[in-house]
Amino acid sequence: GENVEQHPSTLSVQEGDSAVIKCTYSDSASNYFPWYKQELGKGPQLIIDIRSNVGEKKDQRIAVTLNKTAKHFSLHITETQPEDSAVYFCAASAGGTSYGKLTFGQGTILTVHP
Amino acid sequence: EAQVTQNPRYLITVTGKKLTVTCSQNMNHEYMSWYRQDPGLGLRQIYYSMNVEVTDKGDVPEGYKVSRKEKRNFPLILESPSPNQTSLYFCASSLSGFGNSPLHFGNGTRLTVT
C-alpha cells in the first residue's frame, strides 16, 4: 500500500520567514495530494491540494509543488504569521484498488514566533 | 452550518467495556471514514464507507467495528477496548470516496482506556 513520509516533524520560524514542509510517497499511481492544517483542539482542515497533472499550485501565501518523477511534494508558506502555527499533514491518494483510501504523513508541528 | 459532529469529545473507560463513538454529517456526503491520531504516527485510517451498507477496512481496523445504516451516520464501535486504543479519533466525510474530494473532519474524540 501507499506510504507517505513527512519531514520535518517540528519546524520553528520567525514571523515573516518562509516555511517548507516536504513529503515523499511510494505509490506511483497516486494522483491527488492534499495538505491539511490542524489547529489546537480541532480537526484537520484542507488548505490546498494538487493533482498529478499539475506541477505547482498557489493560493496567496501558500503554494504546493509536485515532482512526480521523484515522488515528492512540498508545502511552502511565505511571510509566515503567528496564526500559521499549527500541525500540518500531507496526504496522498492512490488510485486503482486503493480508491477510498487517503494516506497521511506523520505531521509537522509548525511554530511561528512573533 | 455544514459540519461533521462527533460525540462524545472526551471519554474515559475501562478495559473490556463496550463503547460507541457517534459521527453524523449534514452534507449528504457519500463517503465517511474514521481515523486515529497518535504522536509521531499521523492520521491512520481505521475504516471507511463509500456509501450506505458499504464499508471496508483501512490500515488499522483490528479491534474496531463500524456500520453505515443511514447516509448521515457512521458510528465507531469498540467491542472490548484495550489500553492500546487510547488515542484521538476523528470522523471525516467527503462528497465522493475517490480520494480527490476534500475531507471534512469532526473535532475529534479523545479516548482513554485504563
Side-chain angles (χ1 to χ4, degrees), chain B residues 61-75:
Chain B
E62 295 77 23
Y64 304 94
K65 282 176 59 176
V66 293
S67 69
R68 187 93 182 271
K69 295 189 173 71
E70 311 161 276
K71 200 169 189 177
R72 63 182 293 129
N73 295 324
F74 191 45

Side-chain angles (χ1 to χ4, degrees), chain A residues 31-32 34 36 38 41-46 49 51 87 89 93-94 97-107, chain B residues 9 31 35 37 40-43 45 48 50 57-59 88 90 97-108:
Chain A
N31 54 17
Y32 176 64
Y36 286 82
Q38 183 183 23
K42 295 189 176 180
Q45 246 190 326
L46 180 73
D49 57 15
R51 299 178 196 280
V87 181
F89 291 100
S93 168
T97 56
S98 294
Y99 264 176
K101 295 189 72 171
L102 192 63
T103 302
F104 286 85
Q106 295 82 358
Chain B
R9 288 295 307 271
Y31 178 90
Y35 293 86
Q37 182 177 0
L41 297 177
L43 291 155
Q45 190 174 42
Y48 64 96
M50 302 287 273
K57 295 177 181 177
D59 296 315
L88 179 57
F90 286 100
F98 297 99
N100 58 4
S101 301
L103 273 175
H104 298 258
F105 283 84
N107 282 330

Side-chain angles (χ1 to χ4, degrees), chain A residues 45, chain B residues 1-5 24-29 93 104-106:
Chain A
Q45 246 190 326
Chain B
E1 183 192 347
Q3 58 186 2
V4 177
T5 303
S24 179
Q25 50 94 4
N26 62 0
M27 296 168 279
N28 202 35
H29 283 169
S93 72
H104 298 258
F105 283 84

Side-chain angles (χ1 to χ4, degrees), chain A residues 74-86:
Chain A
S74 300
L75 178 71
H76 304 253
I77 306 175
T78 58
E79 299 169 28
T80 53
Q81 299 165 5
E83 50 265 38
D84 293 329
S85 296

Side-chain angles (χ1 to χ4, degrees), chain B residues 4-65:
Chain B
V4 177
T5 303
Q6 292 178 232
N7 279 299
R9 288 295 307 271
Y10 301 93
L11 181 56
I12 300 174
T13 190
V14 296
T15 299
K17 188 176 181 184
K18 181 180 178 179
L19 66 91
T20 299
V21 184
T22 64
C23 175
S24 179
Q25 50 94 4
N26 62 0
M27 296 168 279
N28 202 35
H29 283 169
E30 289 190 348
Y31 178 90
M32 297 186 75
S33 183
W34 277 101
Y35 293 86
R36 61 178 287 175
Q37 182 177 0
D38 302 289
L41 297 177
L43 291 155
R44 293 181 293 166
Q45 190 174 42
I46 302 170
Y47 269 96
Y48 64 96
S49 170
M50 302 287 273
N51 214 324
V52 176
E53 302 291 2
V54 180
T55 63
D56 209 345
K57 295 177 181 177
D59 296 315
V60 288
E62 295 77 23
Y64 304 94
K65 282 176 59 176

